Amino acid sequence: MTSVEWYETEHVEDQKLGAKKRLLLIGSLFFLTSFFLAQSVVFEAAVPFSVPFWAIIRSKYKEYAKFVLVGSLIGCFFLGFGQVLILALQIVMYECIMRFRYWQLPQSIAVSLAVILVQILWQGVMYQGLPPVLVQFYVGCEAALALIMTLFMQVLFVNSYEWFTSHWTYEKLGSGLVVFAAMLTGMQAVVISYFSLPIFLLQLLICFGALVGSVPLATVIGAVLGTLIGIAKLSFTGMLSVATLTGLCAGMGARAGRFGVAIGSIMPSVFFLFYDATLPLDSVYFTSIVIGSIIFLVIPKSYSDKVRDKLFPQREEVLLARQHWLTEHVTLKLEHFQHFVQFMKELVFERFMTAPVATKEEVAPMNTCLSCFRHDRCWGAQNNGMDKLMTDWFHMKGVGKDSSIHRVEDQIRYKCVKSTKIFEELDTELYRERINGQYFHGKKMIALQLRDMSNHLNQLIAEMKEETISFVSVEKDIIQRLKDAHIECFQLDVLSNKAGARKIVCALAPAQVNWEDDTTLAERMILPILYEIFDEPFEIDKVVACDVPFRHIQISFRSAISFEVEYDIYSMSKDATLYSGDSHALFQLHPGLFAILLSDGMGQSKEAQHESRKLIHLMRECLNFNMNPETAMHTLHYVMSLKQQNDMYATLDFALVDLQHGDLWSWKAGGMSTYILRGKEVLKVESNAAPVGFLSISAVEAEKRKLKAGDVILMHSDGLFSSVADWDEQEEAFLAQAQQVAGTNKTIQEKLTTIMQSFQAYYEIEDDCTVLMLEVTHVVPTWAVFRPVQYSMSKTS
């Protein structure tokens, strides 16, 4: 057995042991409650509380029913063997009524009916006919009290999963006091020497209520308990005044702390000792209330805090008001900053869209040419091609090919008598063009960054305003929708509310935990509800059956990813050297977004490799900081254009695959075409933007394509196609081979290897080459009984 298995075994055993301890503890409490309720006699004749308690426990806590049954029968045994038989018959009668298939009576009516039927039969047998009127009155009172007590217990004893989640209402508090008063009447005989258990508990409860709820709660407890105890005993109704005044004085002393409560609770008893000699305020009474006050002083503060939170929870209206106030003030500050950002954006965007980009398609004569005696020969009617040579010079300087530059300069020297000054002016003009280009793109970069900042602030303000509205209502709205669908969910937590990455945990409390039934319920009913609320697909992440603190099942939901991507990479360097100018990166920004980066540095040297790798690294950093892709592309261009190395640049082919909605977004700066193979159809994504680092770059536009399951995406660097053979023929041959192989059932690694081997059999790859192949497929759940397999057309035919 491994350490993990040993730990899991020990953990399971600990859970079972804890469940058994909890069962015994709660069962013991129910046993004592049923024992004292069975001995609670009202009007010195009626015993109406055992059957209601059995009915409630039997319907809501079946595992504890045996404790209640034993406790009730033992309690009735102290009242006489006849009472034991009556209780047993009443329980049997109740079960028969509830299981009768032809009608379904309310629980309270069934309890009352069982009590009165058994009592009529029993008393009729005992009196051999119609019992006396007084006995009939007692039977009617017992049935009425049983009905009323059932209603109180239904309010008090909630479902087990609500023990730790529901707040105590005034109705539930009143029901608890009624049941506790009934228990106190059954404890009258529990007197040990000078200690009386019911007086002790009454004093302790009044003091604790004063500490938790001050005067109102303590007075209510004293008045309710004193009234019910006095009515039950048909005597000592003066104790009602004692209990009520005790609650009032204890609540008034709550401002002085625990000692103020304890002293205030004893003072009314001392007063009535001298005021009314008929009250049973003897040594037993005073000893019991003193012990109750002492025990009250040592109760931990954490207990009173928990009870106070249950009885008087912080009102949601106050929390909403605070949240609204905070949102308004923070929003005001953000809006001031937003106005500043808007001002700066407009300032930077001034004449932005109309700013010309310097081009050298048509070159005007230089100042040296205008003062030269051969001006007409070079630029006039006898044009000898000087304007074309200068245009070629600017173009070759941008491309950076030394051999071509030298060739054009030699031609200019051959035709121009003042070539030295001409070259000085050309260098000055080129430098001015570069400065203007850097200013233009720096301006655009700042504008785009300000736009991103403005978008982030708008999103933040919108989220804060939305949070004010949905601070409490998001989870409540979902729970309400589930209730409308008759799905009993007692707790729901939204762990993450980010679109595409939402996480929701739902706790269900079925009558009997059944993994299969509850999973089916979640798939058939809860998933459609979540989809309707959030307008995105969800899936079941995990289903866990729990026994702590009670038996329930937790189902975790998360945003579903509709598509998944498999990919393979083919990469080689020219002449099999250690350095390749190509670099690539494929990674997930988050579970629903897949990023693809492919860069080709100029040349095959170590510097070209460094340039492309640096570009990939900077792009990843921008994406990790949630920068807009367009802003990131222009920022990288500006940064790369300011580098110290001369005539170095790199292409960048950047794509994002939305795995949730099936979209492909593509940005290209000098990158080659991206191909999407869809059966016999080929979709091409192209761009005319220049490589990153060129000053002539003006814009990098995004191209969007809708993807379908089975699509194959191909991205490659320019080294794939040879400069000797016809470019279009090579592209056609490559795509034909890719379409033929893409439809087979081979792995994607085998497919890409086959494509490249077949292509190289006809065309030689003479440069650094990188090919990325991605296959988009539908996500198939792990529990699916089948998985779709694609076959080639040749096999199916």
Side-chain angles (χ1 to χ4, degrees), residues 318-329 468:
V318 177
L319 296 177
L320 287 174
R322 292 180 179 177
Q323 178 73 7
H324 184 69
W325 178 86
L326 178 63
T327 302
E328 283 186 347
H329 283 69
T468 304

Side-chain angles (χ1 to χ4, degrees), residues 355-424:
V357 180
T359 60
K360 294 299 173 187
E361 297 297 332
E362 295 182 1
V363 181
M366 300 291 106
N367 293 329
T368 302
C369 295
L370 295 176
S371 61
C372 180
F373 66 94
R374 300 183 64 180
H375 175 266
D376 293 337
R377 180 180 178 183
C378 295
W379 298 92
Q382 303 177 6
N383 191 342
N384 62 355
M386 183 61 70
D387 56 345
K388 183 179 183 303
L389 289 177
M390 289 188 177
T391 301
D392 292 342
W393 185 88
F394 277 105
H395 178 69
M396 295 306 171
K397 274 290 187 178
V399 175
K401 295 184 177 180
D402 294 338
S403 59
S404 300
I405 294 174
H406 292 318
R407 178 176 55 79
V408 174
E409 288 180 350
D410 289 340
Q411 293 177 359
I412 293 176
R413 290 190 185 96
Y414 176 76
K415 294 185 177 184
C416 182
V417 295
K418 298 181 179 181
S419 58
T420 302
K421 290 186 177 181
I422 287 294
F423 288 138
E424 290 178 359

